[in-house]
Amino acid sequence: MTHQHSSPKIPSCIWNRPIGSGWDKPYTVRNPSNLDDGPWHGAPLGGFGAGCIGRSSRGDFNLWHIDGGEHTFQTIPACQFSVFEQPGDSPGQAYALCTEPPDNTLQAWQWYPRRGDRREAIGERLEENGVYHALYPRSWFSYEKVFQSQLTCEQFSPIWAENYQETSYPVAVFVWTAHNPTDAPVTISIMLTWQNMVGWFTNAIKSPSVRVRDDGSPVYEYQPRLGHSSGNFNQLVVENEQVGCLLRGGNSEAIQEGDGQWAIATLKKSTDQVFHHTRWNPNSTGEDIWQSFSNDGSLPNYTDEQPATQEEQLASAIALRFTLQPGETREIPFVLAWDFPITEFAPGVEYYRRYTDFFNRTGNNAWAIASTALQNYQSWQQQIQSWQQPILKQELPDWFKMALFNELYDLTNGGTLWSAADERDPLGQFAVLECLDYRWYESLDVRLYGSFALLMLWPELDKAILRAYARAIPTSDRNLREIGYNQATALRKVAHATPHDLGAPNEHPWEKTNYTSYQDCNLWKDLPCDFVLQVYRDFVLTGATDWELLWDCWPAIVQTLNYLKTFDLDNDGIPENSGAPDQTFDDWRLQGVSAYCGGLWLAALEAAIAIAKILLSFPPDHPLGELIDSPLNEPPIQDAIASYQTWLEQSRPIYQEKLWNGQYYRLDTNSGSDVVMADQLCGQFYARLLGLPDIVPSENALTALKTIYEACFVKFHNGELGAANGVKLDGSPENPNATHPLEIWTGINFGLAAFLVQMDMKPEAFQITEAVVRQIYDNGLQFRTPEAITAVNTFRASHYLRAMAIWAIYGVLTNFHS
């Protein structure tokens, strides 16, 4: 369709980068065993739990999370857009739109010039070549000074808040806008090539053994079946105005993980010419398609459905050629879709993906998905804009709005699972990895911060995760295993202990919990509190009407609080930390009553009391009302309230007397440390957030926050980096060799900033937030945000869940209403 404007409107608050522009000194990984793919990351494409792909700011498709929970980072050169342009009667030119030519293939192709490249045909150096822009789930390539036409490609997947259908679709849309600013006609041809990778994304090692890495974390080997294309074949599809190629696998009796289809497609107008080549060799020079495309923007219209032999690789291509009159603008959609309906975890443990609730489970729906996208892409664009625009027009810094949306990338990119619906889980089950280095799902201590985004935007998915935890708390797993940090042995899961995580991709997520073994998770003092607080948070912040969530979780709340109370060895009302790594700062050994865990305990007791009082007034005719007298609900609700109030009244003054030193709350009672812990009052933040009574006097909380701001932020490298987890009052390290205390944790900083906003310290909150955001987006960490950054430009644990805590800042700023 024709538009009046010459190019699409790209929001001002985006992350951008000149196309192909590298980084002089990108941050590098702290631990050699941790993942470091380098800085070439862009906004991912693909629906939640459907598998996703990534395309970097140099134009290459290089990230492949098609197999649920697994990571493959490798450029596939044949997966590419290319453009041919011929102004009037002048000679044409064609480029594949990536600035990094492959080493050993496609030598016949002409690759997009980088800034500073000398263009021999013109005899000048290219000073500009365009810009990549990203505001997840949208991103744009605007191509400049290379073509005479103005060309922009917007790419997105149909992701917007409170949408539980299209957000799951395995599809990427590429909307090209082409404008002719010259006074002569211009002929343009846009080509999309794609390699047939059916069967590649499943583990070739079907039962990988687990080993313990140098940092104490359990890992297993993942070896995708890259290049295994025997039996694959490609087909041309023409349906009315929709034209494309379907990339299929060899027929198998029963569909398995990795089986399915890819599809590439576009829309053809009557004045357009569409060309195709269904079977070309991506391991060759690429001359079989480039010769014709670079000559006049055409392809040889070659169709061949012959399956690949053992040694062969296949790719397809479609190209759409059109002519723009002077001043004319055209919009041209291309679509990439895929259909790999099964995710397999341990051998035989298989789940269908959420999108199969809307297409079927045969693995033959890539064309149907692509066709749906071509019919609906403009509506999807509008839905995304309608969701984002009210936030973008608010009086907030552009860098903040940019990071707010871009940090949501992890919901697509984080090894995300979203299973098909069933009677128990009417929207399916959902999970995001803690990160790719710590490859287990929905770590409860991490999501205490990082789940604010999911809660605020897709609340039913957040509640589904908490229900999975509620089901897991009563269970036990008596298998013994070695604990990484001290080589002791411990039970995997003790009944009534809150698990640390919902399992890993090589076992059975949601059902087999506590995958991590660096510590004995059954000893953690924050996890039960984290669970209770998140349940009440989800109830309060979604309208305080979801009584069913509270009923579903109440038995587990009672069980896990009673379990945690058994660690109150001196019976003063507060469970003690044991000197082992037993909370989220799991390399930092707290001893006795601690400010962090003790505060969460107080807030969790308040939340449990509030939940219990709500359930007592629950309508008795509700089908769950019978649980009031159920054996699951031991002790009865009134008795539970009495116990919690006794513990709360006993522990609150002890917390204050033992930990408050006049400036801040001490780390703990028994270690002798005088460190200022940045996150010492997380419990107070949650209490105020949920309308519960303060756990400490408000004036003390304010004094502590001012102390934290000065010591951990201003005096720690002059406030340039963010807040360190724990330093002395003068900003110096207590132990220069410590790990966690001297790291800047992105999600903890965002959580601290939310607390500062809550306490009317908004300028300080934004100073800290901006320092962290700049570190991420200026140093090659975009779309792989780490857990931790150090003062020497290193990072740890990329693609980290906790960083989505930036949405807690926005929530507090807006009182959780956009």
Side-chain angles (χ1 to χ4, degrees):
M1 59 187 293
T2 302
H3 294 288
Q4 296 302 313
H5 58 273
S6 62
S7 61
K9 184 172 177 57
I10 299 173
S12 60
C13 49
I14 37 81
W15 179 79
N16 59 25
R17 189 96 187 155
I19 294 173
S21 178
W23 286 258
D24 291 335
K25 293 183 179 179
Y27 283 12
T28 54
V29 79
R30 177 176 190 169
N31 297 333
S33 62
N34 271 201
L35 178 70
D36 188 356
D37 288 323
W40 292 105
H41 286 265
L45 295 159
F48 294 179
C52 79
I53 60 177
R55 189 183 185 199
S56 84
S57 56
R58 63 187 175 193
D60 57 329
F61 290 91
N62 60 5
L63 181 139
W64 310 92
H65 285 190
I66 301 300
D67 185 354
E70 309 297 351
H71 173 72
T72 301
F73 188 81
Q74 177 177 318
T75 296
I76 308 293
C79 297
Q80 190 52 253
F81 276 103
S82 302
V83 167
F84 166 86
E85 180 191 61
Q86 185 173 21
D89 297 326
S90 303
Q93 61 174 346
Y95 291 105
L97 299 180
C98 175
T99 60
E100 190 72 18
D103 291 333
N104 302 311
T105 59
L106 308 184
Q107 296 92 334
W109 291 23
Q110 187 74 22
W111 296 86
Y112 196 69
R114 282 179 287 221
R115 292 205 302 180
D117 281 357
R118 185 174 180 83
R119 295 191 291 168
E120 298 302 331
I122 305 174
E124 65 177 28
R125 290 199 182 277
L126 185 69
E127 296 304 322
E128 298 178 54
N129 68 345
V131 181
Y132 171 80
H133 318 256
L135 188 76
Y136 176 89
R138 299 186 286 166
S139 53
W140 299 259
F141 285 88
S142 57
Y143 299 95
E144 302 168 5
K145 308 296 185 182
V146 173
F147 304 106
Q148 291 198 26
S149 311
Q150 294 175 356
L151 293 173
T152 302
C153 178
E154 178 181 352
Q155 42 189 37
F156 65 90
S157 294
I159 290 165
W160 61 87
E162 305 254 16
N163 170 25
Y164 298 96
Q165 180 169 331
E166 288 88 348
T167 294
S168 74
Y169 285 4
V171 68
V173 180
F174 304 86
V175 181
W176 284 85
T177 303
H179 172 71
N180 178 6
T182 74
D183 56 6
V186 176
T187 297
I188 297 171
S189 182
I190 301 173
M191 177 172 68
L192 175 57
T193 52
W194 207 257
Q195 187 154 353
N196 188 327
M197 298 174 283
V198 173
W200 288 19
F201 298 105
T202 184
N203 200 348
I205 308 169
K206 282 306 175 186
S207 296
S209 58
V210 178
R211 60 181 177 81
V212 177
R213 199 170 52 198
D214 58 1
D215 65 359
S217 300
V219 293
Y220 62 91
E221 187 175 359
Y222 179 73
Q223 196 177 96
R225 301 178 71 250
L226 302 183
H228 288 247
S229 300
S230 178
N232 291 358
F233 65 102
N234 303 334
Q235 295 176 307
L236 178 69
V237 182
V238 180
E239 288 186 359
N240 301 318
E241 294 182 345
Q242 300 179 358
V243 182
C245 293
L246 186 61
L247 286 59
R248 306 182 62 172
N251 293 325
S252 58
E253 294 182 4
I255 190 167
Q256 301 174 355
E257 180 183 75
D259 293 343
Q261 301 176 333
W262 296 88
I264 54 175
T266 189
L267 280 178
K268 173 185 179 298
K269 287 174 56 175
S270 59
T271 55
D272 298 335
Q273 293 175 288
V274 177
F275 305 95
H276 65 268
H277 193 311
T278 66
R279 196 183 196 279
W280 62 276
N281 178 10
N283 283 353
S284 68
T285 64
E287 189 173 356
D288 45 357
I289 62 170
W290 198 256
Q291 183 174 17
S292 57
F293 183 75
S294 62
N295 181 51
D296 61 6
S298 70
L299 292 172
N301 288 336
Y302 179 77
T303 304
D304 185 346
E305 297 184 11
Q306 181 180 344
T309 65
Q310 195 76 36
E311 291 78 27
E312 280 187 301
Q313 293 298 316
L314 305 180
S316 279
I318 52 172
L320 186 143
R321 188 171 69 186
F322 55 94
T323 298
L324 291 179
Q325 298 305 314
E328 185 182 1
T329 301
R330 274 282 306 274
E331 179 180 280
I332 306 97
F334 280 78
V335 166
L336 167 69
W338 56 96
D339 181 16
F340 299 100
I342 291 176
T343 297
E344 182 181 48
F345 303 115
V349 179
E350 296 180 343
Y351 281 77
Y352 287 101
R353 289 172 152 157
R354 166 66 172 170
Y355 75 85
T356 64
D357 290 335
F358 312 108
F359 300 91
N360 62 43
R361 298 178 173 185
T362 61
N364 294 320
N365 291 287
W367 184 259
I369 296 166
S371 176
T372 299
L374 288 172
Q375 294 171 51
N376 294 286
Y377 78 92
Q378 289 173 317
S379 169
W380 293 351
Q381 271 183 309
Q382 186 56 51
Q383 295 271 20
I384 296 169
Q385 292 169 15
S386 297
W387 158 47
Q388 291 188 330
Q389 195 56 36
I391 298 174
L392 298 182
K393 69 182 183 182
Q394 292 185 22
E395 291 294 324
L396 293 166
D398 278 358
W399 59 261
F400 179 76
K401 291 182 280 192
M402 176 278 294
L404 195 67
F405 283 108
N406 281 336
E407 287 304 318
L408 295 176
Y409 83 96
D410 200 46
L411 292 174
T412 291
N413 195 47
T416 312
L417 307 178
W418 190 359
S419 69
D422 59 24
E423 188 173 348
R424 186 188 70 176
D425 295 293
L427 288 176
Q429 296 191 91
F430 188 82
V432 176
L433 292 172
E434 178 175 333
C435 68
L436 293 169
D437 286 302
Y438 314 144
R439 202 182 309 183
W440 39 85
Y441 282 102
E442 292 296 341
S443 301
L444 194 63
D445 57 313
V446 174
R447 75 181 324 275
L448 182 71
Y449 309 80
S451 62
F452 276 95
L454 194 65
L455 164 68
M456 294 169 67
L457 302 172
W458 292 274
E460 297 308 313
L461 297 183
D462 201 71
K463 293 174 183 179
I465 294 164
L466 295 180
R467 285 185 166 97
Y469 269 102
R471 292 192 286 262
I473 283 170
T475 66
S476 66
D477 184 337
R478 309 292 294 177
N479 287 306
L480 289 170
R481 58 183 181 169
E482 183 178 289
I483 301 304
Y485 86 95
N486 64 358
Q487 285 72 58
T489 56
L491 297 178
R492 175 159 177 165
K493 169 69 172 70
V494 174
H496 302 166
T498 297
H500 169 273
D501 55 74
L502 291 176
N506 62 323
E507 290 190 343
H508 193 169
W510 301 299
E511 301 297 328
K512 193 170 177 60
T513 62
N514 269 358
Y515 186 79
T516 184
S517 60
Y518 173 63
Q519 334 79 345
D520 180 358
C521 299
N522 301 295
L523 301 179
W524 277 36
K525 308 309 185 297
D526 51 352
L527 296 173
C529 307
D530 296 344
F531 172 69
V532 176
L533 289 169
Q534 287 176 65
V535 170
Y536 192 51
R537 179 198 68 180
D538 283 23
F539 175 78
V540 169
L541 297 183
T542 60
T545 57
D546 191 351
W547 324 106
E548 194 164 352
L549 174 70
L550 301 185
W551 278 112
D552 287 348
C553 296
W554 176 250
I557 287 171
V558 173
Q559 291 163 0
T560 201
L561 286 178
N562 289 344
Y563 173 82
L564 181 55
K565 184 61 168 62
T566 64
F567 294 98
D568 175 17
L569 302 181
D570 59 5
N571 207 31
D572 66 354
I574 308 183
E576 291 88 35
N577 292 90
S578 63
D582 61 0
Q583 33 66 47
T584 196
F585 302 93
D586 55 7
D587 200 25
W588 202 354
R589 303 185 186 187
L590 310 183
Q591 299 177 41
V593 175
S594 69
Y596 181 73
C597 294
L600 290 173
W601 168 250
L602 294 173
L605 290 177
E606 291 183 346
I609 292 168
I611 292 169
K613 289 179 177 178
I614 291 166
L615 294 183
L616 282 177
S617 61
F618 194 81
D621 58 346
H622 189 282
L624 291 174
E626 63 194 42
L627 283 177
I628 289 175
D629 299 314
S630 164
L632 286 174
N633 192 30
E634 296 286 353
I637 292 178
Q638 290 282 20
D639 291 353
I641 292 174
S643 294
Y644 302 156
Q645 285 180 329
T646 297
W647 299 345
L648 185 61
E649 291 165 8
Q650 184 184 9
S651 55
R652 193 197 305 271
I654 290 171
Y655 182 88
Q656 182 70 17
E657 293 163 11
K658 288 189 173 183
L659 296 173
W660 177 245
N661 68 6
Q663 290 179 282
Y664 59 94
Y665 285 85
R666 295 165 54 204
L667 182 69
D668 58 34
T669 56
N670 292 357
S671 70
S673 172
D674 62 356
V675 75
V676 180
M677 185 184 197
D679 202 26
Q680 59 189 261
L681 286 178
C682 185
Q684 170 72 0
F685 166 73
Y686 255 90
R688 288 179 69 94
L689 179 72
L690 303 180
L692 298 167
D694 287 337
I695 65 167
V696 299
S698 182
E699 61 273 16
N700 289 15
L702 190 58
T703 298
L705 276 176
K706 291 176 178 176
T707 303
I708 292 164
Y709 170 76
E710 287 293 331
C712 298
F713 177 62
V714 175
K715 294 178 180 176
F716 183 76
H717 294 271
N718 300 312
E720 296 173 355
L721 305 179
N725 279 329
V727 291
K728 300 171 80 167
L729 274 170
D730 63 0
S732 65
E734 183 179 52
N735 172 7
N737 297 318
T739 51
H740 290 183
L742 299 180
E743 291 179 328
I744 299 102
W745 285 12
T746 54
I748 294 297
N749 271 253
F750 296 153
L752 173 62
F755 190 12
L756 288 164
V757 173
Q758 189 187 72
M759 298 294 288
D760 297 321
M761 294 177 67
K762 183 178 173 182
E764 294 86 345
F766 273 81
Q767 287 173 32
I768 291 173
T769 306
E770 183 174 9
V772 175
V773 167
R774 298 287 182 205
Q775 284 212 82
I776 297 165
Y777 288 91
D778 291 350
N779 295 290
L781 297 176
Q782 75 289 336
F783 304 108
R784 54 171 187 148
T785 306
E787 159 80 317
I789 298 170
T790 74
V792 292
N793 300 348
T794 63
F795 68 89
R796 180 173 57 78
S798 60
H799 304 265
Y800 205 76
L801 170 62
R802 188 160 12 213
M804 283 187 287
I806 195 170
W807 278 84
I809 304 172
Y810 181 71
V812 175
L813 283 167
T814 60
N815 198 26
F816 288 86
H817 295 94
S818 294

